Amino acid sequence: MSQATTTGVQEIPVPAPAAPKPGLSSRALPRLAPLGFAAAGIVLGVGLALAAGWHSRVQWGLLSALFFLVISYITTSVVDNQRQARDRLATSLVWVCFLLAVVPLASLLWTTISRGSERLDGYFLTHSMAGVLGPEASGGVYHALIGTLEQIGIATLISAPLGLLTAVYLVEYGKGTLAKAVTFFVDVMTGIPSIVAGLFILSIMLIAGLEPSGLMGALALTILMMPVVVRSTEEMLKLVPNELREASLALGVPKWRTILKVVLPTAIGGIVTGVMLAVARIAGETAPIMLLVFGSQLINTNPFEGAQSSLSFYIYEQYRVGEAASYDRAWAAALVLIAFVMILNLVARGIARWKAPKAGR
């Protein structure tokens, strides 16, 4: 028989809590350690590049990125563990790829803004190149800006309704061989070169005996813009919940009215965004304008008759002159074109946020 204690209760020993195993959640390195790794990588990369006689900043950046990845992995594997080191290596690689994509874009924007702002002013935006010779510092971009707005406006008026109706057919009605064929050709047209669209409209011009005009260039831009509108609108319509369609149909509403009153208003924000992105895609096209519009240094507000210019063609034309003043005008026109595309993207984002469905409370 076992002997009882004086209190009559036997004490059971409680085991001490086990120490947590090191893993992805346990960080021995400080939070700002990646910044230290980056600084060390830059110092080693630039120092080694200068010692080797490399004077290219691209080489400095690539070598610094390589040192940053190596230092980050080795230090984390020594201080923490292999799992944490692999996780930090993947994160560092993502940041390096992000910087490799952002640095050229930032350099392009900085160069364009610094060079274009020297010539960009009110005079440049309100005068044309009529009677201005290449070496002269006068002249402006007004005629090219008018041509760009008219050509893009005509292309949008044609491609937006056709692309919207095509997307509605593919999502709401399209089934079978015809829908598959339409989808296939839309995908093919998405990657068509701009020069091919220009040659197609040029062949029609030669057969019909038509003269160059802004309308011909707008038709080529329509071919480039329409598949983008179709694909973006199609994806937006697919995001509309089927419950909304079923609820409308259950109330006896016809399908066409359901599409008009329920589906399209729900997806209108994304549709407008897609149209704006398609406009930004065709704003910088030059080849169709060279073939079909021919360019002009005079102000032509009639897109249906006579040659016109555009911002992209104006940039090419001024660069081809080869004078210092023409280079300044080309950079200023490039800045105007970038600002135009940026404004379109900001408008698209604003409309998408304004028309986005509000989350229920």
Side-chain angles (χ1 to χ4, degrees), residues 18-346:
K21 296 182 179 180
L24 292 178
S25 59
S26 60
R27 294 180 179 271
L29 289 173
R31 187 178 297 272
L32 298 179
L35 295 179
F37 299 154
I42 292 174
V43 171
L44 291 176
V46 175
L48 183 59
L50 291 177
W54 297 348
H55 301 288
S56 174
R57 296 182 180 180
V58 176
Q59 295 174 336
W60 296 358
L62 294 177
L63 197 59
S64 300
L66 180 60
F67 274 113
F68 167 66
L69 294 176
V70 172
I71 293 173
S72 176
Y73 179 77
I74 294 177
T75 305
T76 308
S77 61
V78 171
V79 176
D80 291 341
N81 52 71
Q82 288 293 327
R83 293 179 60 193
Q84 188 68 30
R86 288 192 293 268
D87 176 73
R88 191 178 294 275
L89 177 63
T91 305
S92 303
L93 186 61
V94 171
W95 277 104
V96 169
C97 294
F98 169 73
L99 292 177
L100 290 177
V102 169
V103 168
L105 178 60
S107 176
L108 173 64
L109 289 177
W110 172 255
T111 304
T112 306
I113 293 174
S114 60
R115 295 289 299 273
S117 59
E118 299 177 357
R119 184 67 179 81
L120 184 61
D121 52 16
Y123 176 86
F124 183 76
L125 296 175
T126 56
H127 287 73
S128 67
M129 292 295 296
V132 179
L133 300 179
E136 297 181 5
S138 58
V141 76
Y142 179 75
H143 62 298
L145 186 60
I146 292 296
T148 296
L149 293 176
E150 290 182 348
Q151 294 159 24
I152 290 178
I154 295 174
T156 305
L157 289 177
I158 298 174
S159 60
L162 293 179
L164 176 61
L165 294 176
T166 303
V168 169
Y169 165 75
L170 292 176
V171 176
E172 304 294 337
Y173 298 98
K175 294 180 181 179
T177 306
L178 180 60
K180 294 180 180 179
V182 172
T183 303
F184 173 76
F185 284 110
V186 168
D187 293 337
V188 172
M189 289 179 62
T190 303
I192 188 174
S194 59
I195 188 66
V196 176
L199 290 174
F200 174 71
I201 301 299
L202 180 62
S203 63
I204 297 177
M205 288 176 54
L206 296 177
I207 293 174
L210 301 175
E211 296 294 331
S213 63
L215 177 62
M216 298 297 103
L219 293 178
L221 297 180
T222 301
I223 297 176
L224 301 174
M225 181 178 177
M226 190 179 303
V228 180
V229 176
V230 173
R231 295 302 295 169
S232 60
T233 305
E234 183 181 0
E235 295 301 324
M236 291 300 104
L237 294 178
K238 288 180 179 179
L239 294 178
V240 178
N242 288 327
E243 289 78 5
L244 296 178
R245 299 181 177 89
E246 294 172 356
S248 178
L249 295 175
L251 295 174
V253 180
K255 187 171 184 178
W256 68 269
R257 195 171 183 84
T258 299
I259 296 173
L260 187 63
K261 296 294 185 179
V262 177
V263 178
L264 292 180
T266 305
I268 189 62
I271 294 173
V272 174
T273 302
V275 173
M276 290 295 182
L277 294 178
V279 170
R281 183 249 187 274
I282 66 173
E285 294 294 342
T286 308
I289 308 302
M290 295 174 60
L291 290 174
L292 307 172
V293 186
F294 277 17
S296 175
Q297 294 185 349
L298 303 177
I299 299 175
N300 181 14
T301 58
N302 185 8
F304 303 100
E305 182 180 1
Q308 274 190 329
S309 185
S310 68
L311 289 174
S312 57
F313 184 82
Y314 180 87
I315 296 170
Y316 164 76
E317 186 180 39
Q318 294 301 314
Y319 181 80
R320 189 178 58 180
V321 173
E323 300 289 342
S326 64
Y327 288 154
D328 293 339
R329 288 191 291 265
W331 282 109
L335 181 58
V336 173
L337 182 58
I338 290 178
F340 176 72
V341 174
M342 186 176 298
I343 291 173
L344 286 180
N345 281 274
L346 292 177

